Amino acid sequence: MIKIKSKNLNTFYFDVHGCGIEIYANDNFFNYFKRPFKNFQNNTISNISIKILPYTGKEVLPIRIKGSYAGFKLSVTQIEGREVISIFYNYNLQKEDIGYLAEFTRFLLNWSDKCQIHSSAVTKGKKGFIFAGRGNVGKTTIVIYLMEKGYSIVNDDWVIITEKGEVYSSPQPLRVYDYNLAYNYRLCNKIFGLRAPLMYVYTKARVKFRESIIPLIPNRLLRYALDKLLSRCIKYINHKCVKGQIESVFWLNRSKTKSIEIFPISEREIIDRMIANFKYEFSDFFKQYYQIAPEEGKISYLENIEAHMTRVLQSAFSGVPCFNVLIPYHTSSEKLCETIEKKLQIL
């Protein structure tokens, strides 16, 4: 349990591309919270959009994760024509609570000219390339491969898009999974050094077990539990914030095709998929928000999120080539990455 006492509290600031965050907490709290936001720390910010404050009352606040007695509460106010979201937290927090609060804060990030999408992205020079899709389609694998080919990673899971067609890093470190390491010994060696041979064998065994053994388990709940356990991130890597002008956008799909197929897709279709994916990935947070929004005041940004994302993405992707990528289920990581790299060289 992390004790957030009423004394020894400090004020910390983050600036996420114009969305200012103010946190009033002690160092214990801040050390857990800053992992995703590390690259955006600032000394002072005048344009605060989100405030995170301790709650001085005795009752347990309404937003809680399973098994936790600590909670959070939202409040919305207007300050100088701006909508400011305040998140109040109970003093007694566990590590999981702080991690959840950090994710909830990322969900609430808001801008008039930007939006978040669930995608990976790289840059080469000033050119930016986006790879969108559901989980486990190869987004992280592709950006790690391209990093070794001279590209710079924007992010592997979430990026921020501007009306002007720019792609920015989002507040989240690069997350490396077993399947990223199992097929890339150089990456394994770079991360683990002398332990690389052991980690390489270990991650490969995990991947083989998940691919070959788990599907044979008759109990659906046990299959699900084991798959979730083995799908956890193995390593977090902080990287520098970079940005680029969007040159092309790819939507990745697993399919029953016999070979990898890449063909044009309409701007409207890829935008609809991105919005649906955003809602799916943040579905738990939307549930929490709508449970308490009527009492605490509605957040206009979230109430109009679909229209906002549509407007920003239509402006950002105007004239940008968009592609659908069909990936056979048993395609190797090397084959997928080589195909994508060849496509980028043509563009």
Side-chain angles (χ1 to χ4, degrees):
M1 173 112 25
I2 306 297
K3 296 289 186 180
I4 309 296
K5 297 182 180 179
S6 57
K7 58 182 180 179
N8 299 324
L9 300 183
N10 298 308
T11 306
F12 305 94
Y13 299 96
F14 297 102
D15 184 357
V16 184
H17 306 301
C19 180
I21 303 171
E22 180 183 83
I23 302 176
Y24 192 53
N26 66 13
D27 289 339
N28 263 343
F29 179 103
F30 180 69
N31 286 337
Y32 283 98
F33 195 92
K34 74 177 183 180
R35 182 171 71 181
F37 290 91
K38 181 178 180 180
N39 289 333
F40 299 92
Q41 189 172 352
N42 252 297
N43 293 326
T44 57
I45 298 173
S46 58
N47 188 23
I48 300 296
S49 299
I50 300 172
K51 292 186 175 185
I52 301 173
L53 308 160
Y55 181 65
T56 55
K58 294 183 179 179
E59 66 266 29
V60 176
L61 297 177
I63 304 177
R64 297 191 300 278
I65 62 174
K66 188 175 181 180
S68 171
Y69 292 102
F72 320 114
K73 182 176 78 170
L74 292 179
S75 177
V76 184
T77 55
Q78 294 288 331
I79 299 178
E80 298 178 354
R82 291 183 293 106
E83 191 175 62
V84 177
I85 305 166
S86 295
I87 310 175
F88 295 92
Y89 63 87
N90 282 126
Y91 278 123
N92 293 329
L93 298 176
Q94 298 178 6
K95 297 176 184 179
E96 292 80 5
D97 298 317
I98 303 176
Y100 185 88
L101 178 54
E103 282 291 295
F104 197 74
T105 302
R106 192 166 63 82
F107 163 66
L108 295 174
L109 292 173
N110 61 90
W111 309 266
S112 62
D113 62 341
K114 304 178 186 72
C115 69
Q116 300 181 79
I117 59 171
H118 179 55
S119 305
S120 65
V122 296
T123 61
K124 187 95 180 245
K126 295 182 179 180
K127 297 179 179 180
F129 304 94
I130 296 174
F131 307 96
R134 296 286 293 273
N136 297 319
V137 293
K139 297 190 298 296
T140 302
T141 301
I142 288 171
V143 298
I144 289 174
Y145 175 88
L146 293 175
M147 176 183 69
E148 296 183 338
K149 298 294 182 177
Y151 291 76
S152 298
I153 291 181
V154 178
N155 207 286
D156 76 309
D157 208 34
W158 286 90
V159 297
I160 296 167
I161 305 296
T162 76
E163 284 180 338
K164 296 179 180 179
E166 296 170 316
V167 56
Y168 289 171
S169 300
S170 73
Q172 182 174 286
L174 174 66
R175 298 185 297 176
V176 179
Y177 294 88
D178 50 10
Y179 50 82
N180 302 132
L181 298 171
Y183 301 106
N184 192 331
Y185 184 79
R186 285 177 299 177
L187 177 66
C188 201
N189 188 52
K190 187 181 299 184
I191 295 174
F192 294 105
L194 294 176
R195 291 190 296 148
L198 179 62
M199 289 302 298
Y200 186 65
V201 171
Y202 167 67
T203 54
K204 206 146 196 168
R206 278 171 55 121
V207 171
K208 291 295 183 183
F209 180 79
R210 191 164 70 247
E211 291 179 348
S212 305
I213 306 300
I214 289 181
L216 303 178
I217 298 174
N219 187 293
R220 180 175 60 86
L221 292 178
L222 182 57
R223 284 201 311 271
Y224 175 80
L226 286 172
D227 189 62
K228 291 290 287 184
L229 180 66
L230 294 176
S231 297
R232 291 185 175 182
C233 170
I234 287 181
K235 185 74 174 179
Y236 291 92
I237 303 174
N238 278 305
H239 55 92
K240 294 181 179 179
C241 290
V242 298
K243 67 176 183 178
Q245 193 70 31
I246 300 170
E247 288 290 315
S248 56
V249 183
F250 296 83
W251 182 270
L252 310 176
N253 300 275
R254 291 289 176 180
S255 77
K256 295 181 179 179
T257 56
K258 293 183 179 179
S259 60
I260 299 173
E261 298 179 13
I262 303 177
F263 51 89
I265 187 175
S266 72
E267 169 194 311
R268 180 71 233 189
E269 187 171 354
I270 206 165
I271 288 172
D272 288 343
R273 293 183 185 187
M274 285 179 172
I275 293 172
N277 206 20
F278 174 90
K279 290 182 175 180
Y280 173 79
E281 292 295 328
F282 276 142
S283 58
D284 286 343
F285 299 109
F286 273 110
K287 289 177 186 176
Q288 299 284 22
Y289 163 68
Y290 283 117
Q291 284 175 358
I292 63 172
E295 296 179 7
E296 300 297 335
K298 295 184 177 180
I299 301 172
S300 60
Y301 180 82
L302 291 180
E303 296 290 330
N304 301 289
I305 189 64
E306 187 167 336
H308 175 79
M309 290 184 70
T310 300
R311 176 178 61 80
V312 171
L313 294 176
Q314 281 181 338
S315 176
F317 296 164
S318 179
V320 172
C322 299
F323 299 96
N324 200 18
V325 183
L326 300 182
I327 309 164
Y329 285 103
H330 298 293
T331 303
S332 69
S333 300
E334 293 89 343
K335 180 66 175 177
L336 171 61
C337 294
E338 288 170 1
T339 304
I340 292 293
E341 186 189 14
K342 287 178 182 177
K343 184 66 176 178
L344 294 184
Q345 291 172 349
I346 295 171
L347 294 173

